Amino acid sequence: SRFETCWPALMKDSHGVIIIFNPELPSHLKEIEMWYSCFVQQQPLLDSQCLLIAHHKPGSAEDTENLSLAHPLNKLKLIHSNLEEDPEDVRMEFMKYFRSIINLINESREREEMSIIS
């Protein structure tokens, strides 16, 4: 990819990774493995800091709803977004994800402060 030289800058100090893909494209299913490897495993981030979004275009095939991803992607939180049918659902899941990231950041900050004190 043309942008690989920018990746270290993108990754620096990141607390979470959201990977959005089209579940109808087999090439995307291969690519998300690469994104996961580079942006989550090599950082290293926890799996809980990564969110997968399978984005369904209007009028797309319904059979991709039962997506079964290979290991290690199957351990990640996966949400299906279909903005025509259920935008509110996606918004709720986003909020849950952001809250969990904020909690992680606060916990690690508290741990750092405690280690400085002791």
Side-chain angles (χ1 to χ4, degrees):
S1 147
R2 296 186 297 242
F3 303 111
E4 278 182 49
T5 49
C6 309
W7 288 2
L10 286 174
M11 289 190 240
K12 187 179 178 334
D13 299 331
S14 65
H15 295 290
V17 175
I18 297 173
I19 300 172
I20 302 173
F21 65 99
N22 182 344
E24 290 180 56
L25 295 180
S27 62
H28 272 207
L29 298 180
K30 287 257 52 86
E31 277 174 38
I32 56 177
E33 289 181 27
M34 186 258 312
W35 291 111
Y36 172 75
S37 166
C38 294
F39 280 84
V40 181
Q41 287 179 312
Q42 289 174 31
Q43 285 232 67
L45 291 177
L46 300 168
D47 284 344
S48 60
Q49 288 168 276
C50 182
L51 177 66
L52 289 181
I53 300 180
H55 184 64
H56 300 267
K57 292 196 176 124
S60 64
E62 288 303 306
D63 58 354
T64 49
E65 284 282 343
N66 304 318
L67 202 58
S68 59
L69 297 171
H71 186 81
L73 297 171
N74 61 1
K75 305 198 310 272
L76 304 174
K77 172 82 177 153
L78 168 68
I79 63 174
H80 291 270
S81 78
N82 184 329
L83 298 180
E84 277 197 326
E85 284 174 26
D86 215 344
E88 191 53 33
D89 212 33
V90 177
R91 205 174 72 82
M92 294 288 292
E93 290 292 350
F94 251 155
M95 294 309 290
K96 270 197 281 194
Y97 170 71
F98 283 126
R99 262 189 228 114
S100 71
I101 296 294
I102 289 164
N103 288 341
L104 272 170
I105 294 168
N106 288 339
E107 282 168 20
S108 70
R109 197 167 286 150
E110 281 168 22
R111 272 199 305 275
E112 276 169 31
E113 287 167 4
M114 290 309 289
S115 68
I116 292 166
I117 293 165
S118 57

